[in-house]
Amino acid sequence: MPYAIVPGSFDPVTNGHLDIIERASRTFDHVTVAVVVNRAKSPMFTIQERVEMLREVCAHLSNVDVDSFDGLLVDYARSHGAGIIVRGLRAVSDFEYELQMALTNRRLLPDIETVFMMTGAEYSYLSSNIVREIALLGGSVEGLVPDSVKQHLRQKILLKQ
Ligand code: ADP
């Protein structure tokens, strides 16, 4: 039974992420969106907040659940019995890093397969980074993130002021 993991930082989840998650949900029997606990970055949202936002925006997808993990992705995949990692590809610039990660993960766990999905063209420029920048500078993120994420961004920025 094809069981796929969609890993990422999701700080916060954007419409580009959601596009990939929806494509994965149509392609695989079961999908876990897994938020990576990455100590190297200084995130805007806590892991719990990112998981909560993802659960809200994935509520309509009955074969998708949301989790978080610390450590190696291949260890998480192995312990959950997932054989597929799904990553989104936007531009050629994503390719080098994604190839490196996919080959590294395959070396660590030969059974794991990384599958790349092309983003919808309208989201090809979109990243969490861009969304955070726009929101922090007071611009509109309409159409870039799901409505519920817009509310979370508003609250977060009000709290910062
Ligand atoms: P990471 O920190 O692991 O790159 P991200 O949260 O930035 O995590 O992205 C998670 C996944 O979603 C990655 O596979 C990334 O390529 C993909 N992704 C991010 N933004 C988009 C987008 N606009 N369209 C398609 N895929 C995207």
Side-chain angles (χ1 to χ4, degrees):
M1 185 166 123
Y3 170 20
I5 295 182
V6 183
S9 308
F10 305 103
D11 186 34
V13 54
T14 68
N15 283 340
H17 291 132
L18 192 54
D19 181 64
I20 295 296
I21 295 166
E22 285 172 343
R23 286 172 200 281
S25 126
R26 290 195 292 271
T27 310
F28 302 105
D29 290 338
H30 191 81
V31 173
T32 295
V33 182
V35 181
V36 185
V37 177
N38 185 344
R39 295 183 209 89
K41 291 185 185 173
S42 56
M44 176 181 250
F45 291 97
T46 65
I47 297 291
Q48 289 72 25
E49 288 169 330
R50 284 182 260 162
V51 166
E52 187 191 331
M53 286 187 280
L54 278 160
R55 288 201 174 125
E56 285 166 7
V57 306
C58 295
H60 63 296
L61 303 168
S62 60
N63 63 341
V64 174
D65 64 34
V66 182
D67 195 9
S68 63
F69 73 98
D70 200 353
L72 283 174
L73 174 58
V74 288
D75 288 341
Y76 180 85
R78 188 176 6 222
S79 66
H80 286 72
I84 296 158
I85 296 170
V86 174
R87 297 284 293 174
L89 273 187
R90 285 162 290 193
V92 180
S93 49
D94 281 343
F95 180 79
E96 211 169 324
Y97 173 73
E98 293 296 342
L99 177 70
Q100 186 182 23
M101 288 309 301
L103 294 181
T104 303
N105 285 331
R106 186 187 288 164
R107 184 185 170 88
L108 293 171
L109 183 60
D111 289 345
I112 202 93
E113 204 55 64
T114 303
V115 171
F116 294 101
M117 290 193 163
M118 304 303 150
T119 178
E122 65 272 41
Y123 305 125
S124 60
Y125 65 95
L126 188 55
S127 67
S128 298
N129 213 359
I130 291 277
V131 165
R132 289 197 305 273
E133 286 282 305
I134 295 173
L136 282 168
L137 296 171
S140 167
V141 292
E142 183 67 43
L144 305 183
V145 294
D147 282 347
S148 61
V149 174
K150 251 179 5 196
Q151 308 292 340
H152 286 278
L153 276 165
R154 227 174 265 140
Q155 277 171 11
K156 183 63 78 177
I157 284 157
L158 280 177
L159 282 175
K160 273 182 178 258
Q161 284 167 352

